[in-house]
Amino acid sequence: MSREDYEIVIGLEVHAELSTKTKIFCSCPTEFGGEPNTHTCPVCMAMPGALPVLNEKVVEYAVKAGLATNCEIEKNSKNDRKNYFYPDLPKSYQISQFDMPLCKNGYVEIEDEKGEKKKIGITRIHIEEDAGKLNHNEFGGGSLVDLNRAGVPLIETVSEPDIRSSKEAENYLRKLKSIYEYIEVSDCKMQEGSFRTDVNVSVRKKGASEFGTRTEMKNMSSFRSIVRAIEYEADRQIDVIEEGGKIEQETLRWDDVSGKTFSMRDKEDAQDYRYFPDPDLVAIKLSDEYIENIKNNLPELPESRKTRYMSELGLSEKDSNLLTASKHLSNMFEKASKICGNHKLVANWLLSDISRILNEKEIEADQIPFTAEQLAKMVTLIEKGTISSAIAKKVVEELFENPKDPEEIIKEKGWIQISDEGAIKEVVQKIIEANPQSVADFKAGKDKAVGFLVGQAMKETKGKANPQMLNKMFIEELKK
Ligand code: ADP
Ligand code: ZN
Ligand code: MG
C-alpha cells in the first residue's frame, strides 16, 4: 500500500488571546510584553485568598466569536478548574470550561483542495485563562517565571475532525483568523502567540469507517510549520502502520529546523485533570436579549465584504477572496483606494508584487511595514506617468525595506520616468541604429520586433523610459 491508499484526518484546537483591555479574572492589563511580573496582582499571581471576578467583556467577545462561526450560544454556562501542575501556573489549576462551554455546534466554510466549498464543524468555543511564561537560561542558568500573561483571556475553538489535508487545515486556520480579526475579538498576532494551534493528526485506510489513533502537536504558530508538520506526521504514521506497528496516542513536539516530530509525553485524558466547577465563580447566565444585541452589532464579516467587492467594485471572485482573506489587507485596499481613487490598480499591486514579497519573506499582511497612504501615493505616481511599472516594482521592494513617501524614494534613487519626447527620441534612434536586424524584421512584417526594441531601450535607460511612449515612437520611426 502507498500513501495514496490512506486518508489524513485532522482536528484543530485554536487558542486566541482576546483583545480585552484587562485580564479575565482581575483588572491587570493584557498588553503584550512589559517588564516581567509588572502586569500582575494577587489574583493572577495566585496569592492565597485572592478571589477572581469574571470580566464581562470576555463573555461578550466569546459570544461574538460563537455567533460569527454559526455556533449555538449556551445561555447557561460556568467556569471549571482544570487541575495540573506546571511552574507557569501558580494556582496549579487553570480556570477553563469543561462540560458547559459558551458556544457549540458551529461551522466555518472553507475551500477544499479542489476549490469547492466545504463546512468544517466547530465542536465548541470556550473561555479560559492563559498561563504565565517561563524564561529559560536568561539569568545565568535556571528558569524564571513571568506572570504577565497569566490570566490573559483566551477563547479555545475546537474543530471537529473534518479536515482532510494540510491545505484544508491552512485554509481553515486562515478563515478562522480572519473572522476573529474582522469581529475584533483578537489581534491574532501569530508572532506574539495570540493565535496558536494544537494540531491533531491521524491516518486511516481510505474507506475505513473508524478514525485512526491521533497524535497531537501543541502550540504551533506559523502556517508554514503547521503544513509541514502535518505532512511529516501523516507520512510517519503511514510508515509505522505499513511496517505493522501501532500509533501511540501522544503529544509530539514539532522541530522546525530538522523538520521532524519528537515524542514529548503520553497524552492525558480529561479524567487526569479532575475537572470540577470553580466554587469561587458564579454561573454565567445570558438572556436572549443580550445575545440578540451582540448579534445585531456584529461588524461586517469577510464573506459579506467579498460579496460587496464583487457587486460594487466589479472585482473577480478570486481577487475578492484574496483581498478579504486578511482584514489588514482588505483595510489597506479600501483605504488606499479611497485616497488615490483607483481600486483596480491598488488591488493589482496588493495581489501581485506585494503578496509575492509577503510570501517570500514568510510574513503576514499585518506585518506590512508601509502605510495605505504610501501605497496610494505610488499608484498615483504610476497613473501620472512619473514612474513606469518597472520602476514601481523597485519602489515596492524599497517600501518593504525602508518605508517612506514613494516620491522621496524615487527622488533619492533617481528613478523618475523619462517622459520627455526629445530624450525618448534619442534613445529610440540609438537603439534602431544598433539593431538593424530587428528593423529589417519589422519591415518584413514581424511586428514582434517592436517589443524587442522597446526591451532594449528599457535596458538602456535602466527601466526609466516611459514604455508607452517608446512603443509609439518606435512604430512611428520604423514606418518612416
Ligand atoms: P484534548 O483537549 O484532549 O486534546 P479535545 O476533545 O479538546 O481533546 O480535542 C480533540 C481534538 O482532536 C479535536 O479538534 C478533534 O477534532 C481532534 N480529533 C479527535 N479525534 C481525532 C482523530 N482520530 N484524528 C484527528 N483528530 C482528531
Ligand atoms: Zn492580576
Ligand atoms: Mg488537545
Side-chain angles (χ1 to χ4, degrees):
M1 284 222 173
S2 70
R3 184 165 179 176
E4 279 63 54
D5 303 312
Y6 285 85
E7 178 178 52
I8 309 179
V9 175
I10 302 158
L12 301 171
E13 299 160 78
V14 173
H15 287 95
E17 273 182 5
L18 297 181
S19 31
T20 55
K21 286 201 180 65
T22 56
K23 291 187 180 179
I24 182 167
F25 298 119
C26 61
S27 52
C28 293
T30 53
E31 218 177 296
F32 179 75
E35 283 293 301
N37 299 305
T38 52
H39 303 164
T40 54
C41 73
V43 172
C44 54
M45 285 194 297
M47 297 294 173
L51 288 173
V53 178
L54 179 59
N55 179 348
E56 202 185 320
K57 278 277 170 208
V58 171
V59 176
E60 184 188 320
Y61 282 27
V63 170
K64 259 177 144 179
L67 291 170
T69 53
N70 309 294
C71 284
E72 297 159 17
I73 307 301
E74 201 59 72
K75 288 196 282 180
N76 293 296
S77 171
K78 66 179 166 68
N79 291 107
D80 300 285
R81 291 187 180 180
K82 179 180 182 178
N83 298 283
Y84 68 95
F85 172 77
Y86 201 68
D88 64 8
L89 187 74
K91 293 200 298 296
S92 276
Y93 59 84
Q94 177 194 27
I95 306 179
S96 179
Q97 294 193 291
F98 182 49
D99 52 342
M100 292 163 75
L102 266 175
C103 321
K104 57 183 195 191
N105 299 333
Y107 67 86
V108 162
E109 202 169 72
I110 65 156
E111 279 187 4
D112 69 10
E113 208 89 25
K114 295 187 212 104
E116 275 157 29
K117 291 195 165 53
K118 171 173 178 179
K119 282 180 182 165
I120 305 297
I122 289 181
T123 320
R124 55 189 279 151
I125 303 177
H126 66 254
I127 55 173
E128 61 184 25
E129 57 180 341
D130 209 344
K133 237 183 199 164
L134 290 182
N135 294 322
H136 300 294
N137 299 320
E138 244 180 52
F139 305 90
S143 298
L144 295 176
V145 65
D146 174 9
L147 296 177
N148 283 353
R149 202 179 66 180
V152 167
L154 298 172
I155 46 175
E156 176 171 344
T157 308
V158 181
S159 89
E160 288 290 304
D162 288 344
I163 300 163
R164 291 289 175 274
S165 69
S166 57
K167 183 70 196 157
E168 277 186 27
E170 179 176 354
N171 290 352
Y172 167 78
L173 289 170
R174 286 191 183 276
K175 192 62 175 278
L176 193 68
K177 179 172 182 279
S178 98
I179 292 172
Y180 289 171
E181 284 170 359
Y182 273 84
I183 59 172
E184 295 175 342
V185 297
S186 171
D187 64 17
C188 297
K189 286 191 181 160
M190 295 176 92
Q191 68 281 13
E192 290 182 7
S194 6
F195 190 87
R196 350 189 259 267
T197 305
D198 298 346
V199 182
N200 297 273
V201 180
S202 67
V203 299
R204 63 174 170 185
K205 300 242 165 78
K206 277 190 182 150
S209 55
E210 304 270 308
F211 286 138
T213 305
R214 70 178 154 125
T215 58
E216 177 169 13
M217 294 168 280
K218 284 198 176 287
N219 270 324
M220 306 205 55
S221 51
S222 107
F223 293 122
R224 214 176 92 89
S225 310
I226 291 169
V227 167
R228 287 176 70 206
I230 290 171
E231 294 294 325
Y232 174 85
E233 184 53 18
D235 283 345
R236 187 193 68 83
Q237 291 185 11
I238 292 169
D239 285 347
V240 170
I241 294 168
E242 283 292 297
E243 283 160 21
K246 269 185 92 174
I247 304 300
E248 298 289 332
Q249 177 161 340
E250 59 182 345
T251 303
L252 302 172
R253 181 176 61 85
W254 165 253
D255 181 58
D256 223 17
V257 179
S258 63
K260 290 182 176 163
T261 52
F262 295 94
S263 184
M264 269 173 78
R265 57 166 195 252
D266 293 348
K267 171 106 191 82
E268 320 59 10
D269 275 323
Q271 58 186 16
D272 298 331
Y273 291 122
R274 299 279 178 236
Y275 278 101
F276 66 88
D278 192 306
D280 290 339
L281 288 157
V282 294
I284 305 167
K285 290 199 187 300
L286 307 179
S287 66
D288 287 323
E289 198 190 352
Y290 174 86
I291 298 168
E292 204 52 34
N293 189 32
I294 295 178
K295 195 180 213 160
N296 294 335
N297 288 300
L298 272 185
E300 188 181 30
L301 288 167
E303 210 49 42
S304 92
R305 236 188 230 201
K306 181 183 124 186
T307 320
R308 186 159 60 79
Y309 287 3
M310 288 161 65
S311 63
E312 286 176 15
L313 303 177
L315 294 177
S316 70
E317 177 163 17
K318 182 162 172 263
D319 287 356
S320 308
N321 246 337
L322 289 168
L323 283 172
T324 54
S326 145
K327 187 185 179 197
H328 296 276
L329 202 66
S330 161
N331 282 354
M332 183 166 250
F333 166 67
E334 295 197 2
K335 203 164 167 196
S337 303
K338 203 167 164 195
I339 300 170
C340 71
N342 189 335
H343 68 264
K344 282 253 149 71
L345 260 189
V346 173
N348 283 348
W349 282 95
L350 282 172
L351 297 177
S352 57
D353 286 61
I354 294 171
S355 293
R356 174 184 53 79
I357 296 172
L358 288 176
N359 261 331
E360 282 168 10
K361 291 187 176 292
E362 289 176 29
I363 57 173
E364 299 299 318
D366 58 350
Q367 290 163 280
I368 292 179
F370 51 86
T371 62
E373 283 81 3
Q374 290 166 339
L375 174 61
K377 184 68 148 297
M378 187 191 81
V379 168
T380 306
L381 292 171
I382 301 171
E383 280 189 303
K384 285 200 300 198
T386 314
I387 57 175
S388 63
S389 50
I391 298 267
K393 277 175 183 293
K394 297 206 275 184
V395 172
V396 170
E397 303 268 351
E398 191 59 24
L399 280 173
F400 270 95
E401 299 313 319
N402 229 331
K404 60 175 151 186
D405 185 344
E407 204 151 18
E408 253 176 68
I409 294 179
I410 60 169
K411 262 191 204 134
E412 255 171 43
K413 305 260 178 192
W415 284 347
I416 295 172
Q417 175 161 269
I418 305 169
S419 295
D420 172 67
E421 283 218 19
I424 296 273
K425 194 158 192 172
E426 219 172 276
V427 182
V428 166
Q429 271 158 353
K430 185 170 171 197
I431 297 297
I432 285 180
E433 271 164 37
N435 295 280
Q437 185 58 50
S438 300
V439 176
D441 286 350
F442 180 82
K443 302 226 160 155
K446 285 189 194 158
D447 291 346
K448 270 201 295 194
V450 178
F452 174 78
L453 292 169
V454 170
Q456 293 301 305
M458 288 301 273
K459 230 185 209 167
E460 173 74 22
T461 58
K462 300 197 173 68
K464 285 194 280 184
N466 180 327
Q468 284 83 27
M469 287 179 74
L470 281 177
N471 206 50
K472 194 160 152 261
M473 206 170 286
F474 268 119
I475 293 174
E476 278 171 17
E477 289 295 311
L478 290 168
K479 283 193 171 156
K480 271 186 185 165

